Amino acid sequence: MNIWTCKVRIAVLTLVLLAGCDELVAPQQDHVLPRSVVLAGGDVVIRAPNGYCVEQRSVRNGSSNSFALLARCDALGAGAGKNAQGLALITVTTEARADAVQPDARALTRSAAPAQPSATRSYGGMPVIRFDETSHRVRGASPQVWRSGFVANGHVVALALYAEEGSLMLGDRGARLLSELARRTRVASANAKADPG
């Protein structure tokens, strides 16, 4: 499996989340969704950005490969909170690698070929690149996809952000959201490894 170009099959959920809020069930104040999830056999702790939650049905946790989907909490049926950000879907994929190194912009671009980069940002040495992808399978989403990646405890963690055409999340807001997710996850994963008990 190439974690950078994973073909995500998220049918009904994707259509509902990206079609706007008309079809969504009103948030339930007592419905609490997880803001974090442990992946990679316990080595990677994903911490969602403000206003985002883990879609629990999507989680696949294995020591070699793992997957999780994050979406805005209100789109999943819980309150988004006062810090809610724009509507998007974020995929997180992990792959164990003995030689895991922080991917640079060149490595990300090679891994996404033949998709072409249309914007590049960098946050704390971590590249976030928007690609024009016509082959992804996230129905209802723009062909523009933000991608990034980092290393945590011997695992490469690949991130992708999908949003509907014209969304502000396809601009700098989406790039910053992936950066926030990466920062929180790195800290949580380092702390989990330092304090396994």
Side-chain angles (χ1 to χ4, degrees):
M1 176 180 77
N2 184 331
I3 64 172
W4 304 104
T5 57
C6 179
K7 304 298 184 189
V8 183
R9 294 185 180 108
I10 310 163
V12 176
L13 181 62
T14 303
L15 291 174
V16 171
L17 293 177
L18 290 177
C21 294
D22 295 342
E23 301 175 41
L24 299 177
V25 177
Q28 303 170 16
Q29 296 305 319
D30 60 345
H31 185 54
V32 179
L33 293 170
R35 301 287 315 281
S36 63
V37 63
V38 177
L39 297 179
D43 287 335
V44 179
V45 181
I46 304 299
R47 280 277 158 81
N50 286 334
Y52 273 70
C53 292
V54 178
E55 204 295 308
Q56 293 171 284
R57 294 169 296 174
S58 72
V59 176
R60 301 293 179 267
N61 188 2
S63 57
S64 297
N65 301 98
S66 298
F67 176 85
L69 172 72
L70 308 179
R72 219 170 64 182
C73 298
D74 60 340
L76 295 174
K82 64 180 181 178
N83 294 320
Q85 305 192 50
L87 193 63
L89 292 175
I90 301 171
T91 61
V92 181
T93 309
T94 72
E95 182 176 37
R97 289 191 187 164
D99 60 346
V101 294
Q102 170 61 47
D104 59 15
R106 185 177 302 168
L108 279 176
T109 300
R110 273 196 315 266
S111 68
Q116 293 298 308
S118 58
T120 302
R121 304 289 182 267
S122 181
Y123 301 94
M126 187 188 80
V128 183
I129 302 175
R130 189 178 64 212
F131 292 96
D132 294 324
E133 300 181 19
T134 57
S135 61
H136 73 65
R137 295 182 185 172
V138 181
R139 293 189 291 175
S142 166
Q144 294 186 320
V145 179
W146 281 111
R147 293 193 178 275
S148 189
F150 60 95
V151 171
N153 297 328
H155 297 264
V156 176
V157 182
L159 308 176
L161 182 146
Y162 302 87
E164 66 181 340
E165 194 69 55
S167 170
L168 292 176
M169 299 304 283
L170 297 175
D172 285 346
R173 188 178 295 182
R176 287 193 301 269
L177 190 70
L178 284 190
S179 174
E180 180 186 349
L181 170 59
R183 179 183 56 78
R184 289 173 177 239
T185 297
R186 282 171 155 169
V187 170
S189 300
N191 290 342
K193 201 67 172 176
D195 182 21

